[in-house]
Amino acid sequence: MAAEVSETFACISAPASAINSGKGVNIPIDPEEQALYRGLPRYLPRHPNHIYVSVNTDFKNQFIRGKTILSSGENFVVVHGLGTGMERAINLAHEIKNAIPRARLVTSTSGFHVSEELGFMLDGDRQPRSLSVIHMKISTPPKQEDDMGTEVKGT
């Protein structure tokens, strides 16, 4: 699995910084997503298991990140779709959910006021305005163990 992931990341041509998912897994972040982080309102989370999607972010990189985070033992990943990137975010969330057995998907929506800079990065419009956002949490049930500490199969 690790060799497969590293080979896939080697195919990504854009330079990416790495973040630590908290479980010891370094996962590269797309430069477009890094730019989105800078323009987000302060109350939106910037944790490693939160993925922000726009029309310019690298779908393949974000899919691998989400799948790797869930496979490494993290309980959930949240995919946020911003503005015109909502369709891509919905597709990404479903792809991650389908790649992980027994994963569950919960969806909510919200909106926030967009600055000129973030609006331009998202869709080229510099007008300050409200922006729709979709949040999709993909979670995996915790592994059940018996009294001896071994994983219980089939639950």
Side-chain angles (χ1 to χ4, degrees):
M1 174 69 182
E4 176 184 285
V5 171
S6 63
E7 287 174 13
T8 307
F9 286 143
C11 297
I12 298 170
S13 60
S17 71
I19 59 169
N20 192 310
S21 70
K23 301 283 183 182
V25 179
N26 287 330
I27 303 163
I29 291 187
D30 175 13
E32 288 291 330
E33 189 175 355
Q34 288 177 359
L36 286 177
Y37 280 149
R38 289 190 291 273
L40 292 174
R42 290 184 172 260
Y43 59 85
L44 287 175
R46 290 167 175 78
H47 301 290
N49 58 339
H50 288 258
I51 299 172
Y52 289 89
V53 180
S54 74
V55 293
N56 299 323
T57 53
D58 184 1
F59 186 90
K60 182 177 179 181
N61 183 10
Q62 291 180 319
F63 169 72
I64 293 169
R65 255 185 63 214
K67 185 177 168 186
T68 304
I69 289 171
L70 286 174
S71 298
S72 70
E74 197 69 45
N75 293 336
F76 69 93
V77 169
V78 182
V79 176
H80 305 272
L82 308 173
T84 55
M86 287 194 310
E87 290 177 15
R88 286 174 57 105
I90 292 168
N91 189 14
L92 176 65
H94 282 282
E95 290 291 327
I96 293 170
K97 178 189 175 292
N98 292 336
I100 303 293
R102 300 182 334 133
R104 296 188 179 118
L105 180 67
V106 178
T107 303
S108 65
T109 59
S110 69
F112 65 87
H113 190 73
V114 179
S115 66
E116 291 180 13
E117 290 177 26
L118 182 60
F120 186 72
M121 283 190 309
L122 291 173
D123 57 15
D125 188 4
R126 288 199 181 268
Q127 295 294 325
R129 64 193 184 282
S130 290
L131 184 71
S132 296
V133 182
I134 188 166
H135 313 276
M136 293 159 290
K137 182 177 182 179
I138 304 140
S139 59
T140 56
K143 293 181 180 175
Q144 295 181 350
E145 296 179 353
D146 63 9
D147 295 336
M148 302 297 286
T150 58
E151 184 180 339
V152 176
K153 301 278 184 192
T155 57

